Amino acid sequence: MWQKFTEGIVLNFIKDNRWRYLTNGLGVTLKITFFAVLLGLVIGFVVSMVRSAHENTGKLKLLNAICGLYLTVIRGTPVVVQLLLIYLGVFSSVRVDKTFVAVIAFGINSGAYQAEIFRSGIQSIPRGQFEAGRSLGFNYVQTMTNIIMPQAFRNVIPTLANEFIVLLKETSVAGYIALEDLTKGGDIIRSRTYAAFMPMLAVAVIYLTMVLFFSQGVKYLERRLKKSER
């Protein structure tokens, strides 16, 4: 049994430097996740501000309707379908880097969820904070910028960190557009060796390790925030 295990290691990872498919794919996965989260932050922040402004002032009806449609469509359809629509539809006639396409697709998807995270953070701030800002002579934008958003952002940091973890796992479908991410790297090894178990197990272990690492980071962040509140 041990001999078969070592032979499997050599065949799947050592021979022809096949381990590089995993390391290169890991780099692609982390790159997509990082930039998609940043794009999602921008989209989520803008959408949450529009929806919050409409709820508090009754203005921006058209923009709020567009944002509502965006949230409904994105959260109501699978991310792999969105990825294929953007790759095969939006960029079908344009030669573009597949990593860029994946960042756009996953960023748009993550933005919908981050928008609701931001909005829940804004709603968690007592209404009296708005009134306090107005009593200081701030208009709505100044009140949101100087009083509400700093508190709201602090409240949602752990949830945003968890969204990063969720997005990290969701990028495993990037192989649908022939992008050589971590999961695709394991699949390429499988196609070379005709042994599916060991390369896909390695992919699963790498994902699990990253999730556990980032989860511990989120827990540490939550403890720090709780201590600073005391």
Side-chain angles (χ1 to χ4, degrees):
M1 181 177 178
W2 176 252
Q3 183 179 357
K4 289 183 179 180
F5 178 76
T6 54
E7 288 176 353
I9 292 290
V10 172
L11 176 64
N12 288 284
F13 306 118
I14 306 301
K15 187 177 180 181
D16 297 330
N17 292 323
R18 289 178 178 137
W19 55 270
R20 291 184 177 177
Y21 289 115
L22 298 180
T23 56
N24 293 339
L26 175 60
V28 173
T29 293
L30 291 175
K31 184 188 297 184
I32 294 172
T33 304
F34 177 75
F35 288 106
V37 164
L38 292 182
L39 177 59
L41 278 172
V42 175
I43 296 174
F45 180 78
V46 172
V47 172
S48 66
M49 291 296 290
V50 170
R51 287 174 61 79
S52 297
H54 175 72
E55 291 174 354
N56 293 322
T57 66
K59 300 178 180 179
L60 306 177
K61 292 183 179 180
L62 178 59
L63 287 178
N64 180 69
I66 295 174
C67 291
L69 178 63
Y70 159 73
L71 294 176
T72 300
V73 171
I74 296 301
R75 294 193 299 168
T77 55
V79 63
V80 65
V81 175
Q82 299 166 18
L83 176 65
L84 291 173
L85 281 173
I86 292 176
Y87 180 66
L88 300 176
V90 177
F91 293 105
S92 61
S93 59
V94 181
R95 181 179 294 274
V96 64
D97 184 18
K98 294 175 183 177
T99 302
F100 175 77
V101 175
V103 168
I104 296 298
F106 290 112
I108 291 174
N109 180 269
S110 180
Y113 295 94
Q114 292 191 49
E116 291 301 280
I117 292 173
F118 277 122
R119 193 165 72 93
S120 65
I122 294 172
Q123 291 177 337
S124 69
I125 306 303
R127 183 69 183 179
Q129 296 286 336
F130 286 93
E131 298 173 356
R134 294 302 178 89
S135 67
L136 292 174
F138 291 161
N139 58 31
Y140 178 80
V141 175
Q142 291 172 326
T143 301
M144 289 292 294
T145 303
N146 298 307
I147 299 177
I148 305 302
M149 286 309 299
Q151 298 179 73
F153 187 74
R154 178 191 181 90
N155 291 342
V156 302
I157 284 179
T159 311
L160 287 174
N162 283 316
E163 170 61 21
F164 176 85
I165 295 174
V166 172
L167 182 60
L168 174 66
K169 292 183 291 183
E170 286 184 342
T171 58
S172 61
V173 301
Y176 274 86
I177 61 172
L179 185 62
E180 294 186 10
D181 67 323
L182 177 57
T183 304
K184 188 65 175 180
D187 191 51
I188 292 174
I189 295 175
R190 178 201 58 76
S191 68
R192 301 287 194 275
T193 63
Y194 300 101
F197 179 75
M198 192 165 287
M200 299 316 296
L201 178 62
V203 171
V205 169
I206 294 173
Y207 270 114
L208 179 60
T209 302
M210 290 192 294
V211 169
L212 291 175
F213 174 77
F214 288 121
S215 296
Q216 289 300 315
V218 172
K219 291 179 181 178
Y220 174 77
L221 181 61
E222 290 176 341
R223 289 196 298 269
R224 295 282 297 179
L225 290 175
K226 288 180 179 178
K227 287 182 180 180
S228 64
E229 289 175 356
R230 297 174 183 173

